[in-house]
Amino acid sequence: MKSEFTITEENYIKAIYVLSYEIKSNNKLGTKDIATVLKVQPATVTDMLKKLKKKKIINYKKYGEIQLTNTGILYAKQLLRKHRLWETFLYEKLHFNWDEIHEIAEQLEHIQSDALIDRLEKFLQYPQYDPHGEPIPDASGKIPTLPNTVLSQIKNKKWYSVIAVKDTSPEFLKYLQQISIQIGTKLKLIEKIPFENSIKIAFSNNKQIIVSGKIADNILVTEMK
């Protein structure tokens, strides 16, 4: 993928895609959303949006919704593909912790060699999900499906498996490690506690803990068969 974009522009393209399709379910996106994620001023975002519109990556009108064009969507998916493949490589082959890999992959995702990424994907045996459980687009842009049930939504007392986390910040991932939650961890609801929407859960070793609603909202699970 030979880039016509700067690293900063690529960061915007990826952020717009993630916000539109992975975070905001209604796809309605404004400059403040992007400014918050990229930690810049709204005026800076507006200037960049004008540049991306000229390059036909987004459709945008002042004070209106921001939408990626079809070209923009495909480009964003390829950035995500590179980022999540690098995360997988760093975690599985170089044994970085899952709270360390995001920042390093942020740098590696801007490497432009398609051949390198194709070989990396083959070397990793075509993974569908990264170490945080996020889906990895393939070379054509096809994305594996990911169940969207969060831990806070479960009502029955059956066993569930952790399949992904929505918050990939180092602070959140380190906290999950402290309470022994990672991808594949088996959990069961014991009790819902009205205060702060917290819940009591049990692990397969019978250990029980209480997690806040905020934590439970960021853990994706699937019911075990």
Side-chain angles (χ1 to χ4, degrees):
M1 181 172 63
K2 186 176 181 179
S3 178
E4 300 175 0
F5 304 96
T6 65
I7 290 176
T8 301
E9 288 171 339
E10 289 189 340
N11 289 338
Y12 271 82
I13 294 167
K14 188 180 73 171
I16 292 170
Y17 179 88
V18 171
L19 283 166
S20 297
Y21 296 96
E22 296 188 349
I23 296 178
K24 294 174 71 68
S25 59
N26 58 11
N27 293 352
K28 294 181 179 179
L29 183 64
T31 55
K32 289 183 179 179
D33 298 308
I34 301 171
T36 299
V37 167
L38 295 179
K39 299 178 181 179
V40 296
Q41 295 298 317
T44 303
V45 175
T46 300
D47 290 341
M48 178 58 73
L49 294 178
K50 292 176 181 176
K51 293 179 182 178
L52 294 178
K53 182 179 180 180
K54 286 183 180 179
K55 294 187 176 184
K56 299 182 179 180
I57 285 293
I58 62 169
N59 293 316
Y60 165 69
K61 291 182 180 179
K62 193 174 182 181
Y63 306 119
E65 292 178 17
I66 303 156
Q67 295 180 325
L68 288 166
T69 61
N70 290 335
T71 300
I73 290 171
L74 181 58
Y75 196 90
K77 286 179 177 179
Q78 293 309 308
L79 287 170
L80 282 177
R81 175 181 177 235
K82 290 193 291 183
H83 180 97
R84 292 172 181 174
L85 284 172
W86 282 121
E87 284 193 329
T88 304
F89 174 76
L90 292 165
Y91 182 78
E92 291 186 357
K93 305 302 179 182
L94 300 186
H95 308 297
F96 281 88
N97 293 329
W98 74 338
D99 58 285
E100 299 174 315
I101 56 179
H102 178 76
E103 292 301 322
I104 304 172
E106 284 282 291
Q107 302 170 51
L108 293 170
E109 71 186 33
H110 300 291
I111 294 173
Q112 297 304 318
S113 172
D114 287 336
L116 172 61
I117 300 306
D118 288 343
R119 291 192 183 193
L120 177 64
E121 183 179 43
K122 182 178 180 181
F123 175 69
L124 294 171
Q125 298 183 334
Y126 303 96
Q128 290 193 304
Y129 302 94
D130 73 13
H132 304 129
E134 295 177 309
I136 303 174
D138 65 16
S140 67
K142 184 178 179 181
I143 300 179
T145 57
L146 182 68
N148 59 1
T149 301
V150 294
L151 183 59
S152 58
Q153 292 175 328
I154 64 174
K155 298 178 180 179
N156 61 47
K157 295 185 178 181
K158 296 181 179 179
W159 285 101
Y160 285 78
S161 177
V162 175
I163 56 170
V165 291
K166 296 172 68 176
D167 184 346
T168 58
S169 65
E171 296 78 13
F172 182 71
L173 296 174
K174 286 178 182 177
Y175 177 75
L176 290 187
Q177 283 183 313
Q178 290 173 8
I179 61 175
S180 302
I181 292 179
Q182 59 186 354
I183 304 302
T185 298
K186 298 175 179 60
L187 304 171
K188 181 169 67 173
L189 172 67
I190 299 299
E191 179 186 2
K192 289 205 169 187
I193 305 169
F195 182 69
E196 291 188 343
N197 297 317
S198 57
I199 62 174
K200 180 184 287 187
I201 55 175
F203 295 89
S204 57
N205 62 2
N206 295 320
K207 176 184 175 182
Q208 296 184 6
I209 63 170
I210 294 174
V211 297
S212 69
K214 183 177 180 180
I215 297 297
D217 283 341
N218 280 284
I219 300 174
L220 288 164
V221 296
T222 187
E223 186 176 331
M224 298 183 68
K225 303 300 182 181

